[in-house]
Amino acid sequence: MNVLKFKRGYKDWETTYEVELDFEYTADLEKRITSIIIYRPDIGKKVVIPWRIFELYLNGETESTFADSSGLRIRLIDNELYVTNERDFRVVIHRDQIEAIKRAAKNVVEDVSSSVENILREFSMQGA
């Protein structure tokens, strides 16, 4: 499990929340992040955001507001990401937190244990 924990009060952060990076293996046995899960333990609620959408905001590739039918909204204001939904969920992801998420995402994609690699390689060879 790849979880980052951000605690309220540290560096003037307003909210305690956790970020989990969900991933899958491609047919080429490479890791690919599929979604990001943001969880607020104080209210017991979470939002799941497709990685391809979230990554646009992480990299500053879009300034438009994202909204979907579930009420999820993502917007970039003054280099901070605001993630909200219609059910009292609100998280401000600060610039330093954005950088931490980017580093974690890079590590997730690059970090494959040799035992997992060997198992996947052996399984794929048996199937061929």
Side-chain angles (χ1 to χ4, degrees):
M1 186 179 297
N2 300 292
V3 177
L4 297 170
K5 296 181 181 186
F6 299 104
K7 302 250 184 211
R8 178 181 182 198
Y10 181 75
K11 293 187 174 183
D12 296 324
W13 297 342
E14 301 90 9
T15 309
T16 296
Y17 65 97
E18 299 174 0
V19 172
E20 181 179 350
L21 300 169
D22 196 19
F23 63 90
E24 66 184 12
Y25 285 94
T26 67
D28 297 327
L29 303 179
E30 295 177 358
K31 272 187 181 178
R32 179 178 66 150
I33 299 173
T34 55
S35 61
I36 183 168
I37 302 161
I38 302 174
Y39 173 68
R40 284 203 38 200
D42 59 332
I43 60 174
K45 294 184 180 181
K46 67 181 176 180
V47 295
V48 179
I49 306 167
W51 180 251
R52 60 183 169 69
I53 303 286
F54 194 76
E55 190 174 29
L56 294 173
Y57 291 91
L58 277 184
N59 295 328
E61 295 174 21
T62 185
E63 291 184 11
S64 63
T65 299
F66 170 82
D68 70 9
S69 61
S70 73
L72 175 66
R73 291 176 50 105
I74 305 169
R75 57 194 164 135
L76 186 63
I77 301 172
D78 296 329
N79 290 319
E80 296 180 330
L81 277 175
Y82 289 75
V83 179
T84 59
N85 76 4
E86 293 177 345
R87 295 179 224 44
D88 302 327
F89 186 95
R90 180 178 182 271
V91 169
V92 177
I93 304 175
H94 299 279
R95 189 79 225 148
D96 53 347
Q97 295 168 327
I98 290 171
E99 293 304 317
I101 293 169
K102 286 166 108 174
R103 280 191 307 278
K106 182 180 178 199
N107 291 341
V108 165
V109 171
E110 293 176 354
D111 181 34
V112 178
S113 73
S114 58
S115 59
V116 171
E117 257 185 354
N118 291 336
I119 291 168
L120 289 171
R121 190 174 297 117
E122 191 174 311
F123 178 75
S124 66
M125 287 196 223
Q126 288 175 357

